[in-house]
Amino acid sequence: MNKAKTSAEKSVSANSRTLSLLSQLEKINVSSVLGESDNARHVTSKILHLVQSQEKTRKEIISKGSTGIEVILSTLENTRDLQTILNILNILIEVVSVGGGRRASVLVTKGGTQILLQLLLTASKDSPPNEELMMLLHTLLAKIGPKDKKIGMKARINGVLNLSLNLVKQNLQNHRLVLPCLQVLRVYSTNSVNAVSLGKNGVVELLFKIIGPFSKRNTSLMKVALDTLAALLKSKTNARRAVDRGYVQVLLTIYVDWHRHDSRHRYMLIRKGVLQCIKSITNIKLGRKAFLDANGMKILYNTSQECLAVRTLDPLVNTSSLIMRKCFPKNRLPLPTIKSAFHFQLPVIPASGPVAQLYSLPPDVDDVVDESDDNDDAETETEIETEIDDDKDQHFKNDDIETDINKLKPRQELGRPMEELKMYEQFFPELSENFQELDLVSKEPKPFIPDANLSGPIVVPTASEEHTAEANPSTKEVALKECSPSLTEEYNRRPVSLELPKQDNMKNSSLHQQNDQRNMLPSYQCLSQEIVKGLDRISLQNSAKNDQYYGTGCVVKKESKDNLTTLACSKSCDHVSPCGGSLFEGSSVQLGKLCCTGVDSEEEGDSRSSSSGEHVMLQVSDVSPVHDCDLYLEMVKSTKSIPDYSEVAYPDYFGHIPPPFKEPILERPYGVQRTKICQDIERLIYQNDIIDRVVYDLDNLSCSVPEEADVLKFNSKFESGNLRKVIQIRKNEYDLILNSDINSNHYHQWFYFEVSGMKTGISYRFNIINCEKSNSQFNYGMQPLMYSVQEALRSRPCWTRVGTDICYYKNHFSRSSIAAGGQKGKSYYTITFTVTFQHKDDVCYFAYHYPYTYSTLKMHLKKLESMHNPQQIYFRQDVLCETLAGNSCPLVTITAMPESNYYEHICQFRNRPYIFLSARVHPGETNASWVMKGTLEYLMSNSPNAQCLRESYIFKIIPMLNPDGVINGNHRCSLSGEDLNRQWQNPNPDLHPTIYHAKGLLQYLASIKRLPLVYCDYHGHSRKKNVFMYGCSVKETMWHTSVNAASCNLTEDPGYRALPKILSQTAPAFCMGSCSFVVEKSKESTARVVVWREIGVQRSYTMESTLCGCDQGKYKGLQIGTRELEEMGAKFCVGLLRLKRLSSPLEYNLPSSLLDIENELIESSCKVTSPTTYVLDEDEPRFLEEVDYSAESNDDQDVELADNTGDYEATNQDDGLSDSDSTRTLLS
């Protein structure tokens, strides 16, 4: 107790003494009496003693509210006594040496930098200058300099820039003085003008006198000299000077010497310092050339390989990797042109924009790559430092946020005359239909019992199937606008299954007679190479002569030139008909129950898990029976593609059932990106090991398919396929090049292709080398999708996430300035993944995301149309318009039939609010179609909630806004070569017909005062997780800017937040935290903003679904699948129903708990940015999860040497972020 009391007394005493001494010092400053210098010396000496001995004293001087720093700085500025100055400098050094950078920042804000620089100038006039004073001044400047962004400019203005340099020149052997001088020079060099000025005075040459080969002496000085040199060499002028003097070779020699002698890795920071100098010097083209000429690639490759075994040397490996990747010569893509391999002549050429530029190019222009991959050598050194620098850390400023209140306020305007809009009246017959011809009075809706064939499994017809009845042509239009005298009779008159007429399929029946199951082989053996070679794709061109289909999991039949290979199950399945006709009978059979346990002998052990039909049924019970293989083929025949595809991909034909197992987000293996980059670098170092053989090429139709057994075969000539060229690099490694969007020279991201000819037990590496986005969820656990035909034949027709060693990084292929929006030297990015196949000679498909083709949509709509109960559901499918290629754009209307044809029931029917939905404006966002599928199936279901929803709203749905883009494998554009979601402000009816007429429908509704309650456009998001919404709010937009503070007094109905809030409570994949309601300038022509601003729909949204997975909620840590996406579509409908229940029929007054947005906005700050060029134009904010593309993980901040605490390394964009620090949370 006494000890504690004594300690407290000492503390109070020390604080009192400090305050007393500071007070005395302040009085000395005020009075100018002679002899006060002795007192000042005495007082500062006592303060120094306290500061050196007690941390509390240091805190007291720097604490908030204390005037200690001001008093000390004032004394330093006014005194001329050397010892007092030395005391004060020592005091300040002690104060800022601990406590991080905060104390140094306080010293800067109190004007300390200016006082020290003036003192330095004064002291330099002494001849010779006082060494102790100079050392202390430079030591203190080195500590506070990094916290003063203006120190470089202040030093230049005060004329002290070259003082430190001259001190080094004059005292080269005095390491005690040289060390802090070099630290200050490094701080000065962060300003490019200073770096140039110092370079002209010989600083580069001077530093090369200090650094040298391996030596255990003066390592601290060596480290600081290297850091200073690296900072100076960031100036292109200094870098050129270093190249001209041959210093690149010198640096490489020094690095190798330290690498060889530092066997115990004690001097890693010095070795990294040499690499940092090489990194700076190779920022210019001359430096890269000198590096290559000095055999730098091989030197750094070999040394980094030797460092791999020691984890602590990772910073060296990472920096070496960065340098090698930077110096890797920029290559042109091995293509004749970066424009799409397919050409479509536009009916009208846009007056401006990238498409107009594309059409104006002379035919002989090489648009693949520029003559130079740099434009840096032409740049001149200019002062970078401006007042803007201060703002960067203080506030995140988004110049893209709309700040003009007049532009933000919605202004409802039709944009087209009413006479013209009347053309859309035909799409709203529900507003005039009176149903008087229908006998609906007092009739209860009949319970809908689906026909057996319609609710059964995926039916795969065989060649022996004969069609005795043709489909009634009237079934193609079940719209209610032309109702027959009795809808019930029409419904009863429909065929039990939707069978489309076969044109010539039955003419040649010889093969059908051979296909009787009595002639099948007695046993099913593993599919050999010869058999699978017979599994050619279904050809539409040959369908008239040879219409052979493959039974899912049970029967495979294919005619070869000389014989017919037939495969069958050796074990009978109860649900498979033993002979003739259809493979399946009975409505209770689901595809998941099919169990061909005789397919492979090793699978017999798993048969018990499939023996229980109920168990399997539970796993796939949520799958809707809307896939019909036969119908899909009929839909494909009417689909018009630019390449005139004649093949059908197996996955689209067989269909997809979500796998019963969970697919977790993949963990990124440590060092995977570094390994892949090293393998890429080996291509340059060991060029003789590279095969470089083209095995697939859309630009060269005569490209021969390799016959070797160990070479993979590729194909993408089917609907939605995208793969342009394949080059075999090594025996089991292939470079893949994607096709540009038609009438475009970029947007490479979507891929969908077929691979065959594989072997088991071999790891195949695939590199897609011409992606354009700067980041991807492939770096954060997303895997590509694969579909195995052999698995489908074994009753597992599903897309599954596959691939290991997945990463996404910048490569050495460069884009032309045409493709990069005028910028030179822009690199492409590589998606790389490794796959080991389960089955020999399988036929597998890979895709960016779950494919959903235009023909699939047509098939689903046709099935939904044929399965619904017209007594209950008003379902109508119209053709909104034709696309540029002549494909129809479907428009679907769904609501409930009126309860009767009584007047009040008809009025209720006509006055239901509209919900307007659209999807798939971007072809590569296939997840939007799966969400839309979930919405459509929920709306057409028999659940009471679905019926209530139909009775509450009329749904107008455009499920695919960009059919042409989807069909032809585009990633983002339509055939016009433009992003259709940037055309809503002023759509061209000739170039953007679907957008023009979709907007026309909404304008018509506005003209008749029937604005939709909700408009939602379904999208996919490539760089964020979860499902979320973007909406529009004037108030929230203004809150995210500091331009108009008065805007907070705006009155705005917060109802736009209700639906997202409801979804966050009901849909497990939905994340309210990722939602944003900010209106940006770059999004002013998107559907969401135009429908809100021009049409006047307050609840106008874009709903974004992740391509990867979720990081919150029920699905946290899992990759998203079609089941979750379809669930999201259904949950959206549930949200609309809850929105209706929360709303008054007349006034939508919602509970305040749902709409309490003020606190949420105060707590969060939505940082939304827009890409700088149209190449990366997205409907998404900037992605804040980042990966160091240049190197690999754990490139952490240097652990500085004890006597080098003043070191400061300016951040450089090339440094990136380490993997360990890469994941950040995007605030909403």
Side-chain angles (χ1 to χ4, degrees):
M1 187 70 184
N2 292 333
K3 286 183 178 180
K5 186 176 180 180
T6 304
S7 176
E9 288 176 353
K10 284 184 178 180
S11 175
V12 171
S13 174
N15 289 341
S16 301
R17 287 171 59 192
T18 304
L19 294 174
S20 174
L21 290 170
L22 288 172
S23 177
Q24 292 180 40
L25 193 60
E26 187 175 12
K27 291 178 181 178
I28 293 172
N29 290 337
V30 173
S31 63
S32 56
V33 182
L34 292 174
E36 289 294 338
S37 59
D38 291 339
N39 291 336
R41 192 182 311 133
H42 178 69
V43 171
T44 54
S45 177
K46 287 188 174 182
I47 295 174
L48 176 60
H49 175 72
L50 287 173
V51 166
Q52 288 175 335
S53 59
Q54 297 182 5
E55 167 62 17
K56 289 182 179 179
T57 305
R58 295 193 286 267
K59 288 182 178 179
E60 178 74 18
I61 292 174
I62 208 78
S63 63
K64 189 174 182 180
S66 170
T67 59
I69 287 293
E70 287 94 330
V71 171
I72 292 172
L73 287 176
S74 175
T75 305
L76 181 64
E77 188 175 17
N78 296 321
T79 187
R80 294 292 176 266
D81 181 68
L82 178 61
Q83 188 58 49
T84 303
I85 293 173
L86 294 176
N87 288 342
I88 292 176
L89 290 177
N90 278 305
I91 291 170
L92 293 175
I93 290 172
E94 289 290 337
V95 168
V96 300
S97 292
V98 291
R102 188 188 65 83
R103 294 182 178 183
S105 298
V106 172
L107 197 57
V108 170
T109 57
K110 302 296 184 182
T113 308
Q114 185 66 29
I115 294 171
L116 292 173
L117 291 173
Q118 283 292 337
L119 183 58
L120 178 62
L121 182 63
T122 303
S124 66
K125 295 177 182 177
D126 296 340
S127 184
N130 184 284
E131 180 181 324
E132 184 71 15
L133 176 60
M134 284 297 180
M135 188 192 72
L136 291 177
L137 273 172
H138 281 89
T139 300
L140 187 55
L141 281 170
K143 289 181 181 298
I144 71 169
K147 294 299 178 182
D148 189 348
K149 293 181 180 298
K150 301 292 185 182
I151 189 171
M153 187 167 58
K154 290 174 182 176
R156 192 169 60 252
I157 292 173
N158 283 284
V160 300
L161 190 60
N162 290 312
L163 292 182
S164 303
L165 177 59
N166 292 332
L167 269 178
V168 175
K169 288 179 179 179
Q170 296 162 10
N171 301 273
L172 205 54
Q173 302 305 316
N174 187 347
H175 298 158
R176 186 166 172 265
L177 178 59
V178 168
L179 183 66
C181 290
L182 290 180
Q183 291 174 339
V184 172
L185 286 175
R186 181 186 179 189
V187 174
Y188 290 165
S189 301
T190 57
N191 179 289
S192 63
V193 176
N194 290 351
V196 173
S197 176
L198 290 169
K200 289 178 180 177
N201 289 319
V203 68
V204 175
E205 294 81 356
L206 177 66
L207 288 172
F208 271 96
K209 293 179 181 178
I210 299 175
I211 64 174
F214 178 80
S215 172
K216 294 183 180 181
R217 297 177 58 192
N218 304 317
T219 54
S220 296
L221 181 64
M222 177 79 170
K223 172 67 172 63
V224 175
L226 286 168
D227 291 342
T228 307
L229 180 60
L232 286 161
L233 290 176
K234 288 178 181 178
S235 158
K236 295 182 177 67
T237 301
N238 290 339
R240 282 191 287 270
R241 181 177 286 109
V243 172
D244 292 341
R245 285 160 176 73
Y247 289 150
V248 174
Q249 180 70 63
V250 173
L251 287 170
L252 286 169
T253 304
I254 291 174
Y255 180 71
V256 171
D257 189 62
W258 279 87
H259 172 79
R260 288 175 179 170
H261 289 90
D262 185 22
S263 57
R264 302 183 69 177
H265 314 304
R266 292 181 175 178
Y267 306 108
M268 188 189 73
L269 294 180
I270 291 179
R271 291 157 67 182
K272 187 175 180 183
V274 179
L275 289 177
Q276 291 291 347
C277 294
I278 298 174
K279 174 185 159 189
S280 295
I281 211 169
T282 51
N283 281 334
I284 64 170
K285 188 176 180 181
L286 283 174
R288 292 192 287 274
K289 183 177 183 303
F291 177 82
L292 292 172
D293 293 343
N295 202 23
M297 292 291 278
K298 196 161 189 176
I299 291 172
L300 290 194
Y301 175 82
N302 290 334
T303 54
S304 61
Q305 292 299 301
E306 293 170 10
C307 292
L308 284 176
V310 184
R311 189 74 171 262
T312 55
L313 297 182
D314 275 358
L316 303 182
V317 179
N318 297 340
T319 309
S320 297
S321 174
L322 185 152
I323 296 167
M324 288 187 287
R325 292 189 60 239
K326 192 192 326 183
C327 295
F328 202 118
K330 291 289 184 183
N331 292 348
R332 57 181 291 151
L333 281 175
L335 295 173
T337 173
I338 56 174
K339 289 183 288 189
S340 173
F342 307 131
H343 178 68
F344 177 80
Q345 182 62 43
L346 293 176
V348 179
I349 308 300
S352 60
V355 179
Q357 181 185 3
L358 210 62
Y359 271 81
S360 64
L361 285 177
D364 56 340
V365 168
D366 183 358
D367 64 352
V368 179
V369 74
D370 298 299
E371 294 179 3
S372 168
D373 60 16
D374 299 279
N375 56 0
D376 55 7
D377 289 344
E379 294 178 2
T380 56
E381 303 296 340
T382 57
E383 169 118 24
I384 302 172
E385 226 169 9
T386 63
E387 280 68 28
I388 299 175
D389 291 338
D390 293 335
D391 299 332
K392 289 183 179 178
D393 290 335
Q394 294 175 6
H395 299 288
F396 180 93
K397 187 178 180 183
N398 181 3
D399 294 331
D400 192 34
I401 294 181
E402 183 59 75
T403 57
D404 188 339
I405 192 70
N406 295 317
K407 290 183 179 179
L408 274 176
K409 287 182 178 178
R411 56 183 192 283
Q412 188 174 338
E413 52 187 34
L414 293 181
R416 292 162 68 180
M418 187 60 197
E419 295 74 19
E420 186 179 333
L421 291 175
K422 282 186 177 179
M423 65 182 286
Y424 298 106
E425 188 176 356
Q426 61 178 311
F427 297 108
F428 298 91
E430 64 273 8
L431 296 180
S432 56
E433 177 65 71
N434 56 25
F435 300 98
Q436 294 306 309
E437 296 181 357
L438 302 181
D439 188 15
L440 295 175
V441 181
S442 302
K443 279 199 174 183
E444 293 292 328
K446 294 181 179 179
F448 178 47
I449 303 174
D451 186 86
N453 286 342
L454 296 177
S455 62
I458 299 175
V459 177
V460 183
T462 64
S464 60
E465 184 176 359
E466 293 191 8
H467 303 272
T468 56
E470 291 190 354
N472 190 332
S474 64
T475 61
K476 293 187 177 181
E477 291 187 11
V478 196
L480 299 177
K481 60 179 181 179
E482 296 179 2
C483 294
S484 57
S486 171
L487 254 177
T488 307
E489 293 177 8
E490 173 69 23
Y491 178 63
N492 293 333
R493 203 164 53 238
R494 294 182 183 173
V496 293
S497 64
L498 193 65
E499 297 176 348
L500 299 174
K502 308 288 183 191
Q503 298 173 352
D504 297 318
N505 294 349
M506 299 298 110
K507 291 183 179 180
N508 185 357
S509 61
S510 59
L511 290 176
H512 298 276
Q513 297 171 1
Q514 297 180 42
N515 286 338
D516 194 286
Q517 282 196 342
R518 291 170 297 181
N519 296 330
M520 289 182 181
L521 296 177
S523 65
Y524 191 111
Q525 302 172 354
C526 293
L527 291 174
S528 64
Q529 180 177 359
E530 292 75 23
I531 292 175
V532 175
K533 279 185 177 179
L535 289 175
D536 293 335
R537 288 157 223 91
I538 301 162
S539 171
L540 297 182
Q541 294 177 342
N542 300 329
S543 62
K545 297 180 180 179
N546 181 20
D547 203 1
Q548 307 292 323
Y549 311 133
Y550 309 125
T552 303
C554 293
V555 183
V556 182
K557 302 176 183 178
K558 177 68 192 176
E559 181 197 16
S560 61
K561 292 182 180 179
D562 302 321
N563 65 337
L564 182 71
T565 303
T566 311
L567 305 176
C569 290
S570 61
K571 296 188 179 181
S572 62
C573 298
D574 296 337
H575 49 267
V576 180
S577 178
C579 60
S582 175
L583 293 175
F584 314 106
E585 293 182 357
S587 60
S588 63
V589 180
Q590 293 288 334
L591 183 57
K593 293 174 67 175
L594 297 179
C595 174
C596 292
T597 54
V599 170
D600 272 335
S601 59
E602 66 268 20
E603 294 184 1
E604 290 184 6
D606 299 331
S607 62
R608 62 183 183 277
S609 63
S610 300
S611 60
S612 172
E614 292 183 3
H615 178 68
V616 181
M617 177 75 80
L618 288 174
Q619 291 178 335
V620 294
S621 60
D622 56 341
V623 179
S624 300
V626 294
H627 192 91
D628 185 322
C629 306
D630 187 28
L631 180 57
Y632 182 80
L633 288 183
E634 292 301 321
M635 296 297 101
V636 168
K637 291 176 183 177
S638 61
T639 298
K640 301 173 183 176
S641 62
I642 301 307
D644 197 18
Y645 291 131
S646 60
E647 300 172 6
V648 173
Y650 281 117
D652 303 324
Y653 172 71
F654 280 131
H656 159 74
I657 289 180
F661 48 84
K662 296 178 179 179
E663 297 181 293
I665 290 174
L666 194 69
E667 280 194 34
R668 182 186 176 96
Y670 180 82
V672 59
Q673 182 170 290
R674 183 173 62 199
T675 302
K676 299 300 180 184
I677 291 170
C678 283
Q679 292 173 2
D680 288 350
I681 291 168
E682 287 171 3
R683 299 188 189 190
L684 183 68
I685 298 175
Y686 306 111
Q687 296 184 18
N688 294 334
D689 296 342
I690 303 304
I691 298 174
D692 198 28
R693 175 187 183 186
V694 178
V695 296
Y696 180 74
D697 191 356
L698 282 183
D699 294 291
N700 181 13
L701 299 178
S702 61
C703 178
S704 59
V705 179
E707 295 298 329
E708 289 88 338
D710 58 349
V711 180
L712 295 179
K713 284 79 175 174
F714 294 83
N715 181 48
S716 62
K717 299 173 185 174
F718 46 80
E719 186 176 348
S720 294
N722 191 319
L723 180 64
R724 181 171 185 169
K725 190 171 186 176
V726 181
I727 302 170
Q728 185 181 18
I729 300 300
R730 299 179 177 94
K731 184 177 180 181
N732 300 313
E733 181 180 354
Y734 298 84
D735 277 359
L736 283 61
I737 301 175
L738 303 180
N739 195 21
S740 303
D741 286 4
I742 294 177
N743 275 315
S744 171
N745 53 23
H746 47 93
Y747 299 123
H748 316 95
Q749 208 78 19
W750 167 257
F751 58 86
Y752 183 18
F753 57 87
E754 173 195 292
V755 180
S756 59
M758 65 285 293
K759 294 180 179 179
T760 57
I762 295 176
S763 296
Y764 293 93
R765 178 182 171 186
F766 300 97
N767 311 308
I768 300 174
I769 63 173
N770 64 330
C771 299
E772 289 178 308
K773 291 189 177 184
S774 59
N775 207 340
S776 169
Q777 281 290 331
F778 282 116
N779 276 330
Y780 305 101
M782 185 169 85
Q783 295 173 280
L785 286 145
M786 189 185 83
Y787 191 105
S788 165
V789 172
Q790 288 213 35
E791 286 294 299
L793 295 174
R794 288 162 170 77
S795 310
R796 295 183 289 270
C798 61
W799 286 97
T800 54
R801 303 276 188 173
V802 298
T804 57
D805 296 343
I806 301 171
C807 55
Y808 186 97
Y809 59 90
K810 187 186 294 185
N811 61 33
H812 56 274
F813 293 100
S814 83
R815 282 178 272 174
S816 71
S817 58
I818 297 173
Q823 302 179 48
K824 291 185 177 182
K826 299 291 285 184
S827 294
Y828 286 106
Y829 291 80
T830 291
I831 300 171
T832 181
F833 56 93
T834 302
V835 176
T836 303
F837 297 97
Q838 295 182 5
H839 305 286
K840 182 182 178 183
D841 293 319
D842 197 356
V843 178
C844 293
Y845 291 79
F846 290 93
Y848 182 60
H849 198 64
Y850 300 93
Y852 190 102
T853 65
Y854 172 68
S855 298
T856 300
L857 171 67
K858 291 194 296 180
M859 177 196 66
H860 283 164
L861 291 179
K862 186 68 75 172
K863 291 290 288 184
L864 290 173
E865 184 178 10
S866 67
M867 291 165 61
H868 85 283
N869 181 355
Q871 287 285 326
Q872 253 188 342
I873 303 174
Y874 182 101
F875 178 93
R876 174 188 173 89
Q877 183 182 168
D878 291 295
V879 175
L880 176 63
C881 62
E882 281 198 346
T883 64
L884 292 178
N887 294 292
S888 61
C889 178
L891 170 67
V892 176
T893 306
I894 301 175
T895 188
M897 290 291 287
E899 188 175 337
S900 73
N901 55 14
Y902 284 162
Y903 175 77
E904 59 269 23
H905 291 155
I906 298 298
C907 284
Q908 191 277 339
F909 174 87
R910 293 180 181 176
N911 287 288
R912 294 169 186 165
Y914 275 95
I915 303 290
F916 203 108
L917 306 177
S918 59
R920 205 70 184 280
V921 70
H922 296 143
E925 296 168 8
T926 58
N927 46 357
S929 283
W930 288 100
V931 176
M932 179 58 77
K933 179 176 181 284
T935 295
L936 288 169
E937 290 181 12
Y938 185 87
L939 290 176
M940 297 295 289
S941 68
N942 298 320
S943 73
N945 281 342
Q947 178 64 18
C948 182
L949 191 62
R950 291 190 294 265
E951 291 171 354
S952 303
Y953 301 114
I954 300 173
F955 288 85
K956 285 289 180 185
I957 302 174
I958 306 176
M960 192 171 283
L961 277 167
N962 191 353
D964 288 346
V966 171
I967 293 166
N968 295 286
N970 284 6
H971 175 66
R972 194 166 184 86
C973 300
S974 69
L975 293 186
S976 68
E978 298 167 297
D979 182 349
L980 290 183
N981 203 36
R982 294 296 185 279
Q983 312 303 324
W984 278 79
Q985 265 191 328
N986 189 26
N988 185 309
D990 296 318
L991 293 176
H992 325 117
T994 59
I995 305 302
Y996 181 82
H997 293 296
K999 185 177 181 181
L1001 292 176
L1002 289 159
Q1003 289 171 322
Y1004 175 75
L1005 285 174
S1007 71
I1008 62 172
K1009 310 302 180 187
R1010 294 295 301 274
L1011 276 180
L1013 176 67
V1014 172
Y1015 170 76
C1016 190
D1017 192 20
Y1018 293 1
H1019 282 256
H1021 204 292
S1022 67
R1023 296 190 285 183
K1024 287 181 69 177
K1025 291 182 171 69
N1026 309 311
V1027 182
F1028 50 94
M1029 277 181 158
Y1030 295 141
C1032 302
S1033 164
V1034 176
K1035 203 167 186 178
E1036 292 198 41
T1037 302
M1038 300 308 293
W1039 271 336
H1040 283 90
T1041 65
S1042 55
V1043 176
N1044 191 350
S1047 64
C1048 293
N1049 298 322
L1050 287 169
T1051 56
E1052 183 178 43
D1053 182 357
Y1056 62 87
R1057 265 187 169 252
L1059 184 57
K1061 195 78 173 178
I1062 291 169
L1063 290 176
S1064 71
Q1065 297 169 357
T1066 58
F1070 195 88
C1071 178
M1072 187 69 187
S1074 296
C1075 295
S1076 171
F1077 303 92
V1078 175
V1079 179
E1080 297 171 279
K1081 298 172 186 176
S1082 62
K1083 307 297 190 296
E1084 63 182 4
S1085 57
T1086 60
R1088 165 177 61 99
V1089 177
V1090 170
V1091 173
W1092 169 73
R1093 181 181 290 166
E1094 295 183 20
I1095 309 298
V1097 179
Q1098 183 202 25
R1099 295 182 177 90
S1100 178
Y1101 307 104
T1102 296
M1103 187 163 74
E1104 301 273 0
S1105 300
T1106 179
L1107 292 165
C1108 177
C1110 299
D1111 58 12
Q1112 53 87 46
K1114 174 182 174 183
Y1115 302 128
K1116 182 177 181 179
L1118 298 178
Q1119 295 186 77
I1120 203 160
T1122 56
R1123 180 184 283 110
E1124 292 76 29
L1125 292 169
E1126 291 183 49
E1127 177 193 62
M1128 186 64 237
K1131 292 292 185 183
F1132 181 82
C1133 298
V1134 175
L1136 292 174
L1137 188 59
R1138 184 170 293 188
L1139 179 66
K1140 190 254 183 188
R1141 289 171 178 169
L1142 289 171
S1143 310
S1144 164
L1146 299 177
E1147 297 181 4
Y1148 298 95
N1149 297 321
L1150 296 160
S1152 59
S1153 60
L1154 273 180
L1155 308 175
D1156 186 13
I1157 61 174
E1158 301 263 354
N1159 291 334
E1160 290 183 22
L1161 286 172
I1162 291 172
E1163 293 171 1
S1164 64
S1165 175
C1166 182
K1167 296 183 178 182
V1168 184
T1169 64
S1170 288
T1172 54
T1173 68
Y1174 65 85
V1175 173
L1176 298 177
D1177 200 11
E1178 293 290 347
D1179 287 327
E1180 51 194 44
R1182 176 179 296 165
F1183 183 51
L1184 293 188
E1185 285 181 293
E1186 296 181 12
V1187 160
D1188 180 0
Y1189 292 116
S1190 51
E1192 189 45 72
S1193 56
N1194 266 6
D1195 192 3
D1196 297 327
Q1197 293 292 324
D1198 289 353
V1199 180
E1200 300 293 349
L1201 300 177
D1203 55 353
N1204 199 19
T1205 54
D1207 282 4
Y1208 169 71
E1209 180 168 349
T1211 57
N1212 184 23
Q1213 193 172 5
D1214 285 338
D1215 289 338
L1217 292 174
S1218 67
D1219 280 5
S1220 59
D1221 298 330
S1222 64
T1223 305
R1224 301 178 182 174
T1225 303
L1226 180 64
L1227 298 175
S1228 65

